[in-house]
Amino acid sequence: MSKNKPNLNTVYVPERLKEEICNISNCPLTTVVAPMGYGKTTLVNWYLGECSKKDNSLVIRINIYSENLAIFWKSAQDAFSFAGLTFLSEYACPTDAISGGLVTDAICNTLSGKRPVYIFIDDFHLLTDETASTFLCAFARRIPDNMHLVIAGRDSFMHSSDVISLGNKLYQIDTEQLRLTFDEIVQYTHKCGIEMTPEELQQLFYVSEGWYSAVYLNLNTFSRQGHLPSSDSDIYTMFTEAMIDSLPDDQREFLAVMGLADEFNLPMASFITENSDVRNILNHFTKHNAFVKKLSDGHTYRFHHMMKECAEKTFSTLDREKRAKYINRYGAWYEAHDQYIHAMIAYRYDDNYSKILQVIEKDAGVLLSYIKPQNVLNSLENCPEKVLKAHPAALLVLMRCMFNWHNIPKMLELKELLLESIKEHTEISEEEKGNLLGESDLVTSFLMYNDISAMSKLHQSASHQMTRPAISISNTAGWTFGSPSVLMMFYRQSGDLEKELKEMDECMPHYYKVTDNHGWGAEAIMRAEASFAQGKLSDTRIELEQAYAQLKVFPQENILLCCDFLSQRLSLITDTVIKVSLEERYKELVDHHNSGFINIWSSISAYFYALSGEVEKIPPIFAAHKTETMNVLAPGKPMVDMIENQVYLAQKDYAKVLGKSPIILGMCDALHYQLVKLHVIIQSAAAYHMLDKHDQGIQLLKEAFEIAAPDSLIIPFVECYSYIKDILPDDTFSQEYGSLVAKINKLGKNRDSSTIVMSLHELTSRENEIAALMAKRLSNREIAERLFLSEGSVKQYSNQIYYKLHIEGDTRTKRKRLLEMLAGK
């Protein structure tokens, strides 16, 4: 045993590991994967500390404490803020490809440069949601050379496909590399100031198996007792005996209580423990306990997970009354600091349902969406009915959540409890009763979705009863569930278009009153879309301008995007000037940091470029058909899928259209989406015709005309005109729907001409020059002589012209089609 006082808090990193860890700076992503206690955190922190000394690196440390994505994201935002980077607080947690791309762009644009940047995420094994690992792997593929992502955890989180695709961008450190050798253990004991015999060193190597924490705990026992622990002691027993049981009662209880916290500071520890000596206790621990750390911000403390697990076991041995007291103080602290998920978890620990409901009411369902629905349902099942009735506002929030989670029976059950609560609690003022009953009607109206008449009755009821805006609806949230069109959402019945427009006009003012103008302008853009669908282009222009003007009063980005969708489609048929280009709108939307709006923009862009034939400009998420990765709520999905179908048509993948259409039509029938259904039937007819199955195409067009004729809807046909124009004259429907066919032919030719002009704009000046000579029927040789080019060069230019104008076929057919297009121009 050493005669000098040992220093067990010594950080020891073997030279071998120092060399290996340096590879972090050569790779975008490093993973450090090993069981608990192998020194993962110590090793990475040592290396990052050395980097900060040498090259003034920026180090961002993110600690993970639970499987909850919202808690992880808050930790990431706090870590960036501590580093002086507050921009991340403006972004929601990335849960799909679009939101992940926004966050990645923001981080890369902000941090790219010459200064080395290291982002260290610790204890990643606790975050079991694959959303996070998918995002981080995609992030690692894109980060600039000066940035390095380091992820430490107990379990591998990457699929083999990710490992292969990352290739040399990934560096992996595992258990075998972290395990201490016999010689390294000898060096470690000397560095700690402990003297051991060769036999004792051999025993230490044998029982620890090179496990860093096992070595540390064995040395701790050896320094206090003069001998190593018995070989049959497990690591947790050894840890508890060495680091907790040997402490005075007040310090042991302090560790047991504060071990429940992810991180804490002095005010929090003082509040939770009601101990006036907190500062001295923590100073002692940070000096003598390697498992209690003060973080680099200088005021936050964190327990190693081994310490937390053993402390939690010790906490469970406290009497029931003590545990309840501490847990509820945790809940009160988190609630007071707006950490609502932490507060709900704390109150749930003690089954304090009254407090849980109080927090749900304060949160208004925002963070509740990040909790697994089943966990919420389990809590509700165990919550006494009397307690639920005591919190009517929380019941409203829960009703809305159940609707979002498609649990309608539970939603209706909660509504009954709400109504009973209002009757039983006579102390509630008449005004507040009106607010509760009105908002109940408002939430119930979602069950009548796209039945404007039924929804309107409930909205009017809510409007007449409520004196305040609803607490369960935010006016900053999206209004169309991810759809770029209001008309596609609410055109329910063929022949009822005018009736539905009138009902929308009557309905929306009541809805605006109780939601603080959520969805403002919806009825205006729906009317403009209806005029467009009927081919009333002058009316469309006027009504579209009116819709844009309304949005200057109460801006609503979701409705603004619906206006853009109509404006873009209108530009393909008339000479309408687009107010804001797709590129300009995207730049504006990025500043909102809202992936839902970017999803809608992607849908608009995909449809526009599919119609214009500019396939190469279709956003990748549609071009590669990865729309299943988009976060779109169920009511918006048929519109997204219909747009993807149009992309398949533009890509000439007609069989895929026919494969996907029955699924979309099933959704349309379930949601009563008559306009989307019309589009999909026409797309299917187009696909059949392009595959030379003309009879099937004609039969589907007949079905489409039966839906469209009562309201004179022609634009869905016009937008697929280039595919169906050859079968439009068929007697099967041209006699019965002759006037509609005539309008479709007229606008269809205009649309084709507009598309041609747009395509011609893609040609270079030389290509335009050659195209003009081709239009004069000059041969390749004649063009070559006139422009002083080789015939081979003219041929190359010709092929490029055909490619850009999407002209296919043999040489004669392509030249004929080009002449037709240029004549049409």
Side-chain angles (χ1 to χ4, degrees), residues 361 388-400 414-445 458 461-472 514:
E361 181 180 337
L388 281 167
K389 289 181 180 179
H391 296 273
L395 288 173
L396 283 170
V397 174
L398 288 167
M399 283 174 60
R400 176 66 194 272
L414 291 170
K415 179 181 178 180
E416 287 304 311
L417 283 177
L418 174 65
L419 298 178
E420 291 173 17
S421 170
I422 294 170
K423 286 181 182 178
E424 294 172 8
H425 289 84
T426 56
E427 75 280 3
I428 300 177
S429 68
E430 289 302 314
E431 180 180 4
E432 184 55 20
K433 283 182 180 179
N435 285 324
L436 293 170
L437 289 169
E439 188 159 355
S440 174
D441 284 344
L442 177 63
V443 176
T444 303
S445 73
L458 289 167
S461 173
S463 173
H464 293 147
Q465 295 179 85
M466 295 176 69
T467 59
R468 58 155 172 79
I471 62 172
S472 61
V514 296

Coordinates of all heavy atoms in Angstrom, one line a residue, residues 361 388-400 414-445 458 461-472 514:
E361 N -51.9 21.2 -19.2 CA -52.6 22.4 -19.5 C -51.6 23.6 -19.9 O -51.9 24.3 -20.8 CB -53.5 22.8 -18.3 CG -54.3 24.1 -18.5 CD -55.1 24.4 -17.3 OE1 -55.4 23.5 -16.5 OE2 -55.5 25.6 -17.2
L388 N -59.2 13.8 -13.2 CA -59.4 14.2 -14.6 C -60.4 15.3 -14.7 O -60.2 16.4 -15.4 CB -59.8 13.1 -15.5 CG -58.6 12.1 -16.0 CD1 -59.2 10.9 -16.6 CD2 -57.7 12.8 -17.0
K389 N -61.5 15.2 -14.0 CA -62.6 16.1 -14.1 C -62.2 17.5 -13.4 O -62.8 18.5 -13.7 CB -63.8 15.6 -13.4 CG -64.5 14.5 -14.2 CD -65.8 14.0 -13.4 CE -66.5 12.9 -14.1 NZ -67.7 12.4 -13.4
A390 N -61.2 17.4 -12.6 CA -60.8 18.6 -11.9 C -59.9 19.5 -12.8 O -59.6 20.7 -12.4 CB -60.0 18.3 -10.6
H391 N -59.6 19.0 -14.0 CA -58.8 19.8 -14.9 C -59.4 19.8 -16.3 O -58.9 19.2 -17.2 CB -57.4 19.2 -14.9 CG -56.6 19.2 -13.6 ND1 -55.8 20.3 -13.3 CD2 -56.6 18.3 -12.6 CE1 -55.3 20.0 -12.1 NE2 -55.8 18.9 -11.6
P392 N -60.5 20.6 -16.4 CA -61.2 20.6 -17.7 C -60.3 21.1 -18.9 O -60.4 20.6 -20.0 CB -62.4 21.5 -17.5 CG -62.0 22.3 -16.2 CD -61.2 21.4 -15.4
A393 N -59.5 22.1 -18.6 CA -58.6 22.7 -19.7 C -57.7 21.6 -20.2 O -57.4 21.5 -21.4 CB -57.9 23.9 -19.2
A394 N -57.1 20.8 -19.3 CA -56.2 19.8 -19.7 C -56.9 18.7 -20.5 O -56.4 18.1 -21.5 CB -55.6 19.1 -18.5
L395 N -58.2 18.5 -20.2 CA -59.0 17.5 -21.0 C -59.1 18.0 -22.4 O -59.1 17.2 -23.4 CB -60.4 17.4 -20.4 CG -60.4 16.6 -19.1 CD1 -61.9 16.6 -18.5 CD2 -60.0 15.1 -19.3
L396 N -59.3 19.3 -22.7 CA -59.3 19.8 -24.0 C -58.1 19.6 -24.8 O -58.1 19.1 -25.9 CB -59.6 21.4 -24.0 CG -61.0 21.8 -23.7 CD1 -61.0 23.3 -23.4 CD2 -62.0 21.5 -24.8
V397 N -56.9 19.8 -24.1 CA -55.6 19.6 -24.8 C -55.5 18.1 -25.1 O -55.1 17.7 -26.2 CB -54.5 20.0 -23.8 CG1 -53.1 19.6 -24.4 CG2 -54.5 21.5 -23.6
L398 N -55.9 17.2 -24.2 CA -55.8 15.8 -24.4 C -56.8 15.3 -25.5 O -56.4 14.4 -26.3 CB -56.1 15.0 -23.1 CG -55.0 15.1 -22.1 CD1 -55.5 14.6 -20.7 CD2 -53.8 14.3 -22.5
M399 N -57.9 15.9 -25.6 CA -58.8 15.6 -26.7 C -58.2 15.9 -28.1 O -58.2 15.1 -29.0 CB -60.1 16.5 -26.6 CG -61.1 16.0 -25.6 SD -62.5 17.2 -25.4 CE -63.2 17.1 -27.1
R400 N -57.5 17.1 -28.2 CA -56.9 17.4 -29.4 C -55.7 16.4 -29.7 O -55.5 16.0 -30.9 CB -56.3 18.8 -29.3 CG -55.5 19.3 -30.6 CD -56.4 19.4 -31.8 NE -55.6 19.5 -33.0 CZ -55.2 20.6 -33.6 NH1 -55.5 21.8 -33.0 NH2 -54.5 20.6 -34.7
L414 N -63.0 11.4 -23.4 CA -62.5 12.5 -22.7 C -63.5 13.7 -22.8 O -63.7 14.5 -21.9 CB -61.1 13.0 -23.2 CG -60.0 12.0 -22.9 CD1 -58.7 12.4 -23.7 CD2 -59.6 12.0 -21.5
K415 N -64.2 13.8 -24.0 CA -65.2 14.8 -24.1 C -66.3 14.6 -23.1 O -66.8 15.6 -22.5 CB -65.7 14.8 -25.6 CG -66.8 15.8 -25.8 CD -67.4 15.8 -27.2 CE -68.5 16.9 -27.4 NZ -69.1 16.8 -28.7
E416 N -66.8 13.4 -22.9 CA -67.8 13.1 -22.0 C -67.4 13.5 -20.6 O -68.2 14.1 -19.8 CB -68.2 11.6 -22.0 CG -69.0 11.2 -23.2 CD -70.3 12.0 -23.4 OE1 -71.0 12.2 -22.4 OE2 -70.5 12.6 -24.5
L417 N -66.2 13.2 -20.2 CA -65.6 13.6 -18.9 C -65.6 15.1 -18.8 O -65.9 15.7 -17.7 CB -64.2 13.1 -18.7 CG -64.1 11.6 -18.4 CD1 -62.6 11.2 -18.3 CD2 -64.7 11.3 -17.0
L418 N -65.3 15.8 -19.9 CA -65.3 17.3 -19.8 C -66.7 17.8 -19.6 O -66.9 18.7 -18.7 CB -64.7 17.8 -21.2 CG -64.8 19.3 -21.4 CD1 -63.9 20.0 -20.4 CD2 -64.4 19.7 -22.8
L419 N -67.7 17.3 -20.3 CA -69.0 17.8 -20.1 C -69.5 17.5 -18.7 O -70.2 18.3 -18.0 CB -70.0 17.1 -21.1 CG -69.6 17.4 -22.6 CD1 -70.6 16.7 -23.5 CD2 -69.7 18.9 -22.8
E420 N -69.2 16.3 -18.1 CA -69.6 16.0 -16.8 C -68.9 16.9 -15.8 O -69.5 17.4 -14.8 CB -69.2 14.5 -16.4 CG -70.0 13.5 -17.2 CD -69.5 12.1 -17.0 OE1 -68.7 11.9 -16.0 OE2 -69.9 11.2 -17.7
S421 N -67.6 17.3 -16.1 CA -66.8 18.2 -15.2 C -67.5 19.5 -15.1 O -67.6 20.1 -14.0 CB -65.4 18.3 -15.7 OG -64.7 19.3 -15.1
I422 N -67.9 20.0 -16.3 CA -68.5 21.4 -16.3 C -69.8 21.4 -15.5 O -70.1 22.3 -14.8 CB -68.8 21.8 -17.8 CG1 -67.4 22.0 -18.5 CG2 -69.6 23.1 -17.8 CD1 -67.5 22.2 -20.0
K423 N -70.6 20.3 -15.6 CA -71.8 20.2 -14.8 C -71.6 20.1 -13.3 O -72.3 20.7 -12.5 CB -72.6 19.0 -15.3 CG -73.3 19.1 -16.6 CD -74.1 17.8 -16.9 CE -74.7 17.9 -18.3 NZ -75.4 16.7 -18.7
E424 N -70.6 19.3 -12.9 CA -70.3 19.1 -11.5 C -69.6 20.2 -10.8 O -69.9 20.4 -9.6 CB -69.5 17.8 -11.4 CG -70.2 16.5 -11.8 CD -69.3 15.3 -11.8 OE1 -68.1 15.4 -11.3 OE2 -69.7 14.3 -12.3
H425 N -68.8 21.0 -11.5 CA -68.0 22.0 -10.8 C -68.8 23.4 -11.0 O -68.6 24.1 -11.9 CB -66.6 22.1 -11.4 CG -65.7 21.0 -11.1 ND1 -65.7 19.8 -11.8 CD2 -64.8 20.8 -10.1 CE1 -64.9 19.0 -11.2 NE2 -64.3 19.6 -10.2
T426 N -69.7 23.6 -10.1 CA -70.5 24.8 -10.1 C -69.7 26.0 -9.8 O -70.2 27.1 -10.1 CB -71.6 24.6 -9.0 OG1 -71.0 24.4 -7.7 CG2 -72.6 23.5 -9.4
E427 N -68.5 25.9 -9.3 CA -67.7 27.1 -9.0 C -67.1 27.7 -10.3 O -66.7 28.9 -10.3 CB -66.6 26.8 -8.0 CG -65.4 26.0 -8.6 CD -65.6 24.5 -8.8 OE1 -66.8 24.0 -8.4 OE2 -64.7 23.8 -9.2
I428 N -67.2 27.0 -11.4 CA -66.6 27.5 -12.7 C -67.6 28.7 -13.1 O -68.8 28.5 -13.2 CB -66.5 26.4 -13.7 CG1 -65.6 25.3 -13.3 CG2 -66.1 27.0 -15.1 CD1 -65.5 24.2 -14.3
S429 N -67.0 29.8 -13.5 CA -67.8 30.9 -13.9 C -68.6 30.6 -15.2 O -68.1 29.7 -16.0 CB -67.0 32.2 -14.1 OG -66.1 32.0 -15.2
E430 N -69.6 31.3 -15.5 CA -70.4 31.1 -16.7 C -69.6 31.4 -17.9 O -69.7 30.7 -19.0 CB -71.7 32.0 -16.7 CG -72.7 31.6 -15.7 CD -73.2 30.1 -15.9 OE1 -73.5 29.8 -17.1 OE2 -73.3 29.4 -15.0
E431 N -68.7 32.4 -17.8 CA -67.9 32.8 -19.0 C -66.9 31.7 -19.3 O -66.7 31.3 -20.4 CB -67.1 34.1 -18.6 CG -66.2 34.5 -19.8 CD -65.4 35.8 -19.5 OE1 -65.5 36.3 -18.3 OE2 -64.6 36.2 -20.4
E432 N -66.3 31.1 -18.2 CA -65.3 30.0 -18.4 C -66.0 28.7 -18.9 O -65.5 28.0 -19.7 CB -64.5 29.7 -17.2 CG -63.4 28.7 -17.4 CD -62.4 29.0 -18.5 OE1 -62.3 30.2 -18.9 OE2 -61.8 28.0 -19.0
K433 N -67.3 28.5 -18.4 CA -68.0 27.4 -19.0 C -68.2 27.5 -20.5 O -68.1 26.5 -21.2 CB -69.4 27.3 -18.2 CG -69.3 26.7 -16.8 CD -70.7 26.6 -16.3 CE -70.7 26.0 -14.8 NZ -72.0 26.0 -14.2
G434 N -68.6 28.7 -20.9 CA -68.8 29.0 -22.3 C -67.5 28.7 -23.1 O -67.5 28.1 -24.2
N435 N -66.4 29.1 -22.5 CA -65.1 28.9 -23.2 C -64.8 27.4 -23.4 O -64.3 27.0 -24.4 CB -63.9 29.6 -22.4 CG -63.9 31.1 -22.6 OD1 -64.3 31.6 -23.7 ND2 -63.6 31.8 -21.6
L436 N -65.0 26.7 -22.3 CA -64.8 25.2 -22.3 C -65.7 24.5 -23.2 O -65.3 23.7 -24.0 CB -64.9 24.7 -20.9 CG -63.8 25.1 -19.9 CD1 -64.2 24.7 -18.5 CD2 -62.5 24.6 -20.2
L437 N -67.0 24.8 -23.2 CA -68.0 24.2 -24.1 C -67.7 24.6 -25.5 O -67.8 23.7 -26.4 CB -69.4 24.6 -23.7 CG -69.9 24.0 -22.3 CD1 -71.2 24.6 -21.9 CD2 -70.1 22.5 -22.5
G438 N -67.4 25.8 -25.8 CA -67.1 26.3 -27.1 C -65.9 25.6 -27.7 O -65.9 25.2 -28.9
E439 N -64.8 25.5 -26.9 CA -63.6 24.9 -27.4 C -63.8 23.4 -27.6 O -63.2 22.8 -28.5 CB -62.4 25.1 -26.5 CG -61.1 24.6 -27.1 CD -59.9 25.3 -26.5 OE1 -60.0 26.2 -25.7 OE2 -58.8 24.9 -26.9
S440 N -64.7 22.8 -26.8 CA -65.0 21.4 -27.0 C -65.7 21.2 -28.3 O -65.4 20.2 -29.1 CB -66.0 20.9 -25.9 OG -66.4 19.6 -26.1
D441 N -66.6 22.1 -28.7 CA -67.2 22.1 -30.0 C -66.2 22.2 -31.1 O -66.2 21.6 -32.2 CB -68.3 23.2 -30.1 CG -69.6 22.8 -29.4 OD1 -69.7 21.6 -29.0 OD2 -70.4 23.7 -29.1
L442 N -65.2 23.1 -30.9 CA -64.2 23.4 -31.9 C -63.4 22.1 -32.1 O -63.1 21.8 -33.3 CB -63.3 24.5 -31.4 CG -62.1 24.9 -32.3 CD1 -62.6 25.4 -33.6 CD2 -61.2 25.9 -31.6
V443 N -62.9 21.5 -31.1 CA -62.1 20.3 -31.2 C -62.9 19.2 -31.8 O -62.5 18.4 -32.7 CB -61.5 19.8 -29.9 CG1 -60.8 18.5 -30.0 CG2 -60.6 20.9 -29.3
T444 N -64.2 19.1 -31.5 CA -65.1 18.1 -32.0 C -65.3 18.2 -33.5 O -65.5 17.3 -34.3 CB -66.5 18.1 -31.3 OG1 -66.3 17.9 -29.9 CG2 -67.4 17.0 -31.8
S445 N -65.2 19.5 -34.0 CA -65.4 19.8 -35.4 C -64.4 19.1 -36.3 O -64.7 18.8 -37.5 CB -65.4 21.3 -35.7 OG -64.0 21.8 -35.6
L458 N -70.5 23.7 -35.8 CA -69.8 23.6 -34.5 C -68.9 24.9 -34.3 O -68.7 25.3 -33.2 CB -68.9 22.4 -34.5 CG -69.7 21.1 -34.3 CD1 -68.9 19.9 -34.7 CD2 -70.3 21.0 -32.9
S461 N -71.1 27.6 -33.1 CA -71.4 27.3 -31.7 C -70.3 27.8 -30.8 O -70.4 28.4 -29.8 CB -71.7 25.8 -31.5 OG -71.9 25.5 -30.1
A462 N -69.0 27.4 -31.2 CA -67.9 27.8 -30.5 C -67.7 29.3 -30.4 O -67.4 29.9 -29.4 CB -66.6 27.2 -31.1
S463 N -68.0 30.0 -31.6 CA -67.8 31.4 -31.7 C -68.8 32.2 -30.8 O -68.4 33.2 -30.2 CB -68.0 31.8 -33.2 OG -68.1 33.2 -33.3
H464 N -70.0 31.6 -30.7 CA -71.0 32.3 -29.8 C -70.7 32.1 -28.4 O -71.2 32.9 -27.5 CB -72.4 31.7 -30.2 CG -72.8 32.1 -31.6 ND1 -73.6 31.3 -32.4 CD2 -72.6 33.2 -32.3 CE1 -73.9 31.9 -33.5 NE2 -73.2 33.0 -33.5
Q465 N -70.0 31.1 -28.0 CA -69.8 30.8 -26.6 C -68.5 31.3 -26.0 O -68.4 31.6 -24.8 CB -69.9 29.3 -26.3 CG -71.2 28.6 -26.6 CD -71.2 27.1 -26.3 OE1 -71.4 26.7 -25.2 NE2 -71.0 26.4 -27.4
M466 N -67.5 31.4 -26.9 CA -66.1 31.7 -26.4 C -65.8 33.2 -26.4 O -66.2 33.9 -27.3 CB -65.1 31.0 -27.3 CG -65.2 29.4 -27.2 SD -64.0 28.6 -28.3 CE -62.4 29.0 -27.5
T467 N -65.1 33.6 -25.3 CA -64.6 35.0 -25.2 C -63.1 35.1 -25.3 O -62.6 36.2 -25.2 CB -65.1 35.6 -23.9 OG1 -64.6 34.8 -22.8 CG2 -66.6 35.6 -23.8
R468 N -62.4 34.0 -25.5 CA -61.0 34.0 -25.6 C -60.6 33.0 -26.7 O -61.3 32.1 -27.1 CB -60.3 33.5 -24.3 CG -60.8 32.1 -23.9 CD -59.8 31.4 -23.0 NE -60.3 30.2 -22.4 CZ -60.4 29.1 -23.0 NH1 -60.0 29.0 -24.3 NH2 -60.8 28.0 -22.4
P469 N -59.3 33.1 -27.3 CA -58.9 32.2 -28.3 C -58.7 30.8 -27.7 O -58.5 30.7 -26.5 CB -57.5 32.7 -28.7 CG -57.5 34.2 -28.3 CD -58.4 34.2 -27.1
A470 N -58.8 29.8 -28.5 CA -58.7 28.4 -28.0 C -57.2 28.2 -27.5 O -56.3 28.7 -28.0 CB -58.9 27.4 -29.2
I471 N -57.1 27.3 -26.4 CA -55.8 27.0 -25.9 C -55.2 25.8 -26.6 O -54.0 25.5 -26.4 CB -55.9 26.8 -24.4 CG1 -56.8 25.6 -24.0 CG2 -56.4 28.0 -23.6 CD1 -56.8 25.2 -22.6
S472 N -56.0 25.0 -27.2 CA -55.6 23.7 -27.8 C -55.1 23.9 -29.3 O -54.7 22.9 -29.9 CB -56.7 22.7 -27.7 OG -57.8 23.1 -28.5
V514 N -62.2 32.3 -32.9 CA -61.8 31.5 -31.8 C -60.4 30.9 -31.9 O -60.0 30.2 -30.9 CB -62.9 30.3 -31.5 CG1 -64.2 30.9 -31.2 CG2 -62.9 29.4 -32.7

